[in-house]
Amino acid sequence: MKRHILGISFVLLVALVSFISVAEAEEFHWGFKPSKNGEPVEIGEPLETLMNKYGAIYKGSPEKKIVYLTFDNGYENGYTESILNTLREENAPATFFLTGHYLTSATDLVKTMVKDGHIIGNHSYGHPNMARLSAAEMKTEWKKFDDKLNELTGVKRTYYARPPEGIFNEEVLKVGNEAGYRHMFWSIAFKDWLKDERRGAKYAYDALMGQLHPGAIILMHTVAQDNAEAIPQFIKDAKAQGYTFGSLDDLVLEHEKISPY
């Protein structure tokens, strides 16, 4: 009987360990119901708990009309310079999540981003599915990017990471924290990553204004001509509605309840 009980206990223990391993390995594809009427998005459980556990952020305070511009750059398509000019003219900070390919193929633009005071984020070096990498491989992706960024621009390292295609699991967030990265997701996005698919500036403008809400982290891709043409009017009209544009550094300070003064 004693051996029987020990056997059952062992089976239960193996099952528990297997459940935990499966939970940690589960892949999440970032997504949410788009905001309407200025209402902040909700991602529900278990993602909300997972975000809080590892300090990952996807939106700011729903009480403050501040929005945060972020761009994902995997390759250059000729429109980033226009976007940078708009950000400079409107005094709007942004974070550019870059890949290794972008660092090496559009170095002059990366240097302009740094010179203009924008934050560089880590979108991995080779744009893999991070959830399918080992912990060592994840760290290699991030470090390889940081080493190349430092070599080309003098920026020592990045502190904000964003998984390619929004695919991640708990291990990605955990290992990211261990390596000194905070994951940054988003609460406004739309289909804008196909370089040869034009829908017009109005499409991008309407997508941005229609989802606009306090504390929004906006994700856009600089490969889209629609975005480059829509951003100037979007920023002006958002400001006219009382919105200001903050940086992810500001957002982290707010998240951690740290006063910048």
Side-chain angles (χ1 to χ4, degrees), residues 129-238:
N129 181 333
M130 299 294 287
R132 298 183 184 178
L133 302 184
S134 67
E137 289 170 332
M138 292 177 199
K139 290 179 180 178
T140 295
E141 279 290 324
W142 294 319
K143 187 176 187 302
K144 187 176 180 181
F145 178 90
D146 282 348
D147 288 346
K148 180 58 68 173
L149 177 67
N150 180 250
E151 174 191 328
L152 296 175
T153 70
V155 174
K156 186 175 181 181
R157 60 159 295 172
T158 58
Y159 294 94
Y160 305 135
R162 175 172 284 168
E165 299 183 22
I167 303 174
F168 69 104
N169 59 14
E170 182 169 2
E171 187 74 359
V172 172
L173 303 183
K174 177 183 176 183
V175 175
N177 281 181
E178 293 171 355
Y181 302 97
R182 181 189 294 265
H183 273 80
M184 293 290 188
F185 293 87
W186 59 90
S187 61
I188 292 180
F190 54 99
K191 188 176 181 180
D192 68 337
W193 56 86
L194 300 176
K195 67 175 183 177
D196 297 322
E197 185 176 301
R198 285 290 324 265
R199 298 190 181 186
K202 186 177 186 301
Y203 162 75
Y205 174 86
D206 289 346
L208 290 166
M209 294 301 292
Q211 298 183 61
L212 188 60
H213 63 87
I217 297 180
I218 300 172
L219 164 62
M220 285 183 280
H221 294 80
T222 64
V223 297
Q225 184 176 349
D226 295 346
N227 289 344
E229 294 174 354
I231 288 172
Q233 196 61 49
F234 164 68
I235 293 177
K236 288 181 173 64
D237 289 352

Side-chain angles (χ1 to χ4, degrees), residues 61 147 162 244 257:
S61 170
D147 288 346
R162 175 172 284 168
T244 59
K257 298 179 173 57

